[in-house]
Amino acid sequence: MEKAEDQNPQQEEDQVVNPWEVSAKDGGKIDYDKLIDKFGCQRLDQSFVDRVQRLTSRPPHVFLRRGVFFAHRDFNDILDAYERGQKFYLYTGRGPSSEALHLGHLIPFMFTKYLQDAFKVPLVIQLTDDEKCMWKNLSVEESQRLARENAKDIIACGFDISKTFIFSDFDYVGGAFYKNMVKVAKCVTYNKVVGIFGFTGEDHIGKVSFPPVQAVPSFPSSFPHLFSGKDDLRCLIPCAIDQDPYFRMTRDVAPRIGYHKPALIESLFFPALQGETGKMSASDPNSAIYVTDSAKDIKYKVNKHAFTGGQETIEKHRQYGANLEVDIPIKYLNFFLEDDAELEHIKKEYGAGRMLTGEVKKRLIEVLTEIVERHRRARAAVTDEMVDAFMAVRPLPNMFD
């Protein structure tokens, strides 16, 4: 039985982390150790990083070796099975609520691309246009349009079309997928779903009925065109840790309806430019770097809005150095600067006061501009025909090659 989180939703908590809200009391930082204890997942330690490198014969991704993906559920079981010659499939997703993605949205896709390439396994990507229609008060048509626009950004991350199926719920749900939804729904009581997700009497029934939709891509029989006769295939889900409640529910139900529990590998939240207080706000464009930002936008946002741990004056900074614990440019470089030696050098010099805030920001602007411009070029090359091809219901004959 998965560790439940069925406390009274009215009870005041130090931090709230669920798929729709991430906040800490009094605007503080998210305590990930408390979150691991509360959710009942495990820390991803160095032994996993070393093992992934050994099994894939390639360097571990920067997000893995620097602890961006920091927690897991049963990742060891996936690796054990892989070592015995048993493959698995990947499942991740996106709730299409806006046209432009920010860099935080790209993190699970960048990492999933690495996992697909390293382990040579198929991938299903769910676009929950139905969820966003219900939560964001979007029309069905607008949700579907945003799903296709977001699919272009996802495809631009470089996924292998011969191993990747992207689907939107409005288009795909039915048949075997819907049968699994009903099986899950029968196993989860109303009290249980309220305990996990905090629904109230004011929430419409669409929200209460949605969790099985996100649960069942974890089961291979939901995709008969891909995995027919492979009901024993395991699933690994890379996601941010705010999605964990969906999959605690899924893992509780899976053995009762004849499936493996999906394994998870979970990431930290990408901090807002203004400071590490949770996730970024879509309502504040200056809280994030968007993949549509120009080089000029990026320079302005980093110089004007990135919270730093540097001192008030150059003299004080030379004397005391920067507080790296709160410095957003350092945190962003930890995500996106590939060179470990350069990152350590910057942290050492900046922390000692020998490097100034402006110099660190200048390097961050270079790194982010290169990533965003590379993504923009890749996205510009994605046509509507390519989106149709990725979303076509078709077999993937070479998906394990």
Side-chain angles (χ1 to χ4, degrees):
M1 179 77 77
E2 291 300 300
K3 183 170 181 176
E5 191 192 335
D6 294 346
Q7 67 268 35
N8 183 345
Q10 305 303 319
Q11 178 185 327
E12 189 173 1
E13 297 180 66
D14 289 342
Q15 54 188 17
V16 176
V17 175
N18 63 44
W20 311 286
E21 182 184 356
V22 174
S23 62
K25 197 172 182 181
D26 301 324
K29 287 168 59 172
I30 296 298
D31 185 327
Y32 289 103
D33 288 325
K34 277 187 180 177
L35 206 54
I36 281 177
D37 183 56
K38 179 182 178 185
F39 284 1
C41 42
Q42 291 81 43
R43 271 272 176 192
L44 199 67
D45 61 29
Q46 185 61 37
S47 67
F48 283 97
V49 181
D50 296 340
R51 192 176 181 198
V52 168
Q53 181 169 6
R54 178 172 59 80
L55 287 175
T56 61
S57 301
R58 64 168 66 198
H61 193 278
V62 62
F63 295 163
L64 194 57
R65 64 180 191 262
R66 293 193 190 147
V68 171
F69 278 79
F70 75 106
H72 77 99
R73 292 180 183 274
D74 291 348
F75 188 40
N76 48 312
D77 289 351
I78 290 282
L79 297 179
D80 288 347
Y82 186 81
E83 201 156 15
R84 293 192 301 267
Q86 299 169 13
K87 294 283 188 159
F88 58 93
Y89 74 99
L90 295 161
Y91 157 40
T92 194
R94 158 85 185 138
S97 59
S98 61
E99 197 153 325
L101 275 63
H102 58 60
L103 288 179
H105 293 138
L106 287 187
I107 284 165
F109 295 109
M110 294 165 80
F111 188 63
T112 301
K113 158 90 166 82
Y114 153 77
L115 291 173
Q116 182 182 59
D117 292 346
F119 287 99
K120 299 179 174 60
V121 290
L123 161 67
V124 296
I125 299 175
Q126 180 181 43
L127 300 173
T128 55
D129 44 6
D130 53 343
E131 176 204 16
K132 293 308 175 185
C133 177
M134 292 188 282
W135 262 267
K136 297 291 185 180
N137 202 26
L138 298 169
S139 70
V140 170
E141 293 73 21
E142 178 65 1
S143 299
Q144 289 182 292
R145 187 187 73 80
L146 291 174
R148 283 188 67 88
E149 288 302 309
N150 286 188
K152 292 176 183 176
D153 282 299
I154 292 166
I155 292 166
C157 293
F159 293 108
D160 182 347
I161 193 168
S162 71
K163 292 182 168 63
T164 306
F165 173 52
I166 302 176
F167 66 99
S168 84
D169 289 341
F170 278 134
D171 289 337
Y172 185 73
V173 171
F177 193 100
Y178 184 67
K179 289 175 187 175
N180 278 337
M181 283 171 51
V182 171
K183 289 178 186 177
V184 170
K186 285 176 69 176
C187 291
V188 183
T189 65
Y190 177 72
N191 284 344
K192 183 75 172 175
V193 86
V194 167
I196 294 172
F197 296 102
F199 295 133
T200 71
E202 300 304 307
D203 286 312
H204 58 67
I205 61 173
K207 292 184 178 182
V208 179
S209 65
F210 175 74
V213 185
Q214 190 160 322
V216 302
S218 310
F219 308 141
S221 67
S222 296
F223 305 101
H225 66 286
L226 298 178
F227 306 130
S228 180
K230 294 185 171 70
D231 285 3
D232 206 38
L233 196 63
R234 292 177 183 272
C235 176
L236 173 64
I237 305 169
C239 61
I241 198 166
D242 60 331
Q243 299 299 304
D244 190 87
Y246 280 118
F247 301 114
R248 285 204 304 282
M249 181 197 79
T250 308
R251 285 168 53 85
D252 193 39
V253 170
R256 296 156 65 187
I257 59 175
Y259 296 114
H260 289 297
K261 294 182 178 185
L264 282 85
I265 183 165
E266 300 177 313
S267 71
L268 309 165
F269 301 120
F270 190 63
L273 280 166
Q274 285 82 354
E276 196 176 27
T277 56
K279 290 202 297 189
M280 285 158 286
S281 168
S283 60
D284 179 6
N286 289 320
S287 70
I289 303 295
Y290 285 82
V291 296
T292 50
D293 283 346
S294 66
K296 186 178 175 183
D297 293 333
I298 294 169
K299 184 176 181 180
Y300 169 78
K301 286 183 179 183
V302 170
N303 282 331
K304 178 78 173 173
H305 295 288
F307 185 82
T308 76
Q311 302 298 332
E312 294 170 8
T313 65
I314 290 178
E315 291 74 20
K316 280 188 177 179
H317 186 80
R318 295 291 190 203
Q319 184 177 358
Y320 299 112
N323 177 358
L324 303 186
E325 284 298 307
V326 300
D327 194 89
I328 290 298
I330 288 293
K331 291 186 183 300
Y332 276 33
L333 287 171
N334 190 62
F335 277 83
F336 293 122
L337 180 59
E338 286 278 348
D339 189 323
D340 291 339
E342 184 185 358
L343 179 66
E344 285 310 307
H345 173 76
I346 290 171
K347 287 163 77 170
K348 182 179 176 184
E349 295 298 300
Y350 188 39
R354 291 186 292 271
M355 183 178 268
L356 299 176
T357 299
E359 297 172 88
V360 179
K361 284 187 170 183
K362 180 174 181 291
R363 184 66 182 111
L364 176 62
I365 290 164
E366 292 169 356
V367 170
L368 296 182
T369 301
E370 182 185 346
I371 289 169
V372 169
E373 290 189 348
R374 186 170 65 232
H375 181 85
R376 190 185 296 117
R377 287 193 301 271
R379 191 191 192 280
V382 178
T383 63
D384 284 328
E385 290 74 21
M386 287 171 68
V387 175
D388 290 340
F390 269 93
M391 297 183 76
V393 177
R394 69 212 188 275
L396 302 176
N398 303 315
M399 60 186 173
F400 290 114
D401 292 350

